[in-house]
Amino acid sequence: MINAAMRAQSPRLPDELAGRLREWIMTGRLRAGDHLHLERLADNLGVSVTPVREALLALRGEGFVYLEPRRGFTVAPLSRHDFTDAHQLQAGLSGELAARAAQRIEAEQLAELAELVEEMRLTARFALADVGGLVSRFHAELWRIAESPKLSWFLGIAVRYAPQHVAASVPGWREMAVTDHEALLIALQQHNPIDARATMHKHVAHTGELLIHHLQQLGLWSSGSESTSHQGVPHHTGNNDSGG
């Protein structure tokens, strides 16, 4: 739940809510055709109606929800192809940024990334530890080093349709992430843009494959997955709701 008392004045609250609702849609907690009742969503999230409406309008612009006359907001269909396309785009952009960073990275920056990889390695041993957060920090630093703000901006759009923190809870991802970032660190240390691009592309693509398989098992795209309206109350899919 969003802490309304602490964030009531935050101009970022609609963005935070959009991120939470986007995550619920992409993990099947809200499914295609579900009616998003503003008051019930606001109560569920612990906020007022106004930022929820702003968040849903943002998601409408991204294609995650529809706004229909006399019915209000409903969840738009999200196909397996949507996920595949988003991860392919994310993999290409991430690979290019990694290649650029490999050509620019300096010793001090390499040391910082090496520390993050070591933290990933140690953290992956504990089931409840946040490996995904460390990976996000690694990537954020890498994009900063690449000094390609427009490319990073496009990547930020793609990530909305393929959020890594959602994939971080998928079985097998943690171990894969550690191995991939160890290989990526070597490519960066060698200032090898070709290997950096290929390793990052492989990591993002494999993340997408694991997530898609996981969501398929949850029945997100099964014939019975488009259930009747739940009035803005998330379905329970077994996913952890600690993020966001």
Side-chain angles (χ1 to χ4, degrees), residues 8 11 40 45 48 72 92 110 113 118-120 155 168 175 184 194 198 200:
R40 294 186 185 181
L45 290 163
S48 66
L110 282 168
L113 293 181
E118 181 60 23
E119 286 188 61
M120 288 180 210
L155 177 60
E175 297 77 11
L184 180 57
I194 296 176
M200 179 61 82

Side-chain angles (χ1 to χ4, degrees), residues 2 7 10-23 45 47 50-59 62 160 165 244:
I2 302 293
R7 304 186 186 178
S10 172
R12 294 192 57 203
L13 182 56
D15 291 339
E16 295 175 12
L17 295 175
R20 173 63 63 86
L21 294 171
R22 191 186 297 115
E23 178 181 329
L45 290 163
V47 298
T50 298
V52 173
R53 182 183 292 108
E54 293 178 16
L56 290 174
L57 287 172
L59 292 178
E62 296 173 8
R160 294 179 184 178
H165 69 278

Side-chain angles (χ1 to χ4, degrees), residues 24-227:
W24 285 356
I25 292 169
M26 297 192 71
T27 56
R29 291 175 62 83
L30 291 170
R31 301 200 178 192
D34 280 358
H35 175 56
L36 301 173
H37 191 284
L38 291 176
E39 287 77 11
R40 294 186 185 181
L41 267 181
D43 183 64
N44 194 268
L45 290 163
V47 298
S48 66
V49 168
T50 298
V52 173
R53 182 183 292 108
E54 293 178 16
L56 290 174
L57 287 172
L59 292 178
R60 178 197 182 197
E62 296 173 8
F64 283 101
V65 302
Y66 295 142
L67 178 56
E68 303 177 7
R70 297 182 298 280
R71 191 181 182 200
F73 294 98
T74 57
V75 178
L78 194 63
S79 72
R80 180 176 180 138
H81 292 298
D82 292 330
F83 275 80
T84 301
D85 291 344
H87 276 93
Q88 287 177 347
L89 179 59
Q90 186 181 350
L93 293 172
S94 298
E96 178 58 28
L97 285 167
R100 296 184 185 187
Q103 296 173 307
R104 307 181 61 90
I105 198 164
E106 299 178 355
E108 183 177 349
Q109 295 164 331
L110 282 168
E112 292 176 2
L113 293 181
E115 289 181 5
L116 284 174
V117 170
E118 181 60 23
E119 286 188 61
M120 288 180 210
R121 187 182 297 114
L122 296 174
T123 302
R125 300 175 184 176
F126 303 96
L128 299 179
D130 186 17
V131 177
L134 293 170
V135 170
S136 295
R137 286 170 55 192
F138 186 104
H139 290 185
E141 178 62 15
L142 205 59
W143 309 156
R144 188 185 68 79
I145 295 168
E147 295 189 5
S148 302
K150 293 300 183 185
L151 204 60
S152 296
W153 182 83
F154 282 116
L155 177 60
I157 299 300
V159 168
R160 294 179 184 178
Y161 297 84
Q164 186 160 256
H165 69 278
V166 174
S169 63
V170 174
W173 182 87
R174 296 158 63 90
E175 297 77 11
M176 180 269 292
V178 172
T179 300
D180 286 354
H181 285 83
E182 288 173 340
L184 180 57
L185 180 62
I186 293 173
L188 294 169
Q189 290 169 333
Q190 296 175 345
H191 298 280
N192 187 327
I194 296 176
D195 285 355
R197 178 186 289 109
T199 303
M200 179 61 82
H201 190 285
K202 172 189 171 185
H203 168 68
V204 176
H206 194 183
T207 294
E209 292 170 2
L210 288 175
L211 179 58
I212 289 169
H213 177 71
H214 179 67
L215 295 178
Q216 183 74 45
Q217 289 186 317
L218 291 177
L220 186 60
W221 299 299
S222 67
S223 58
S225 66
E226 296 186 8
S227 60

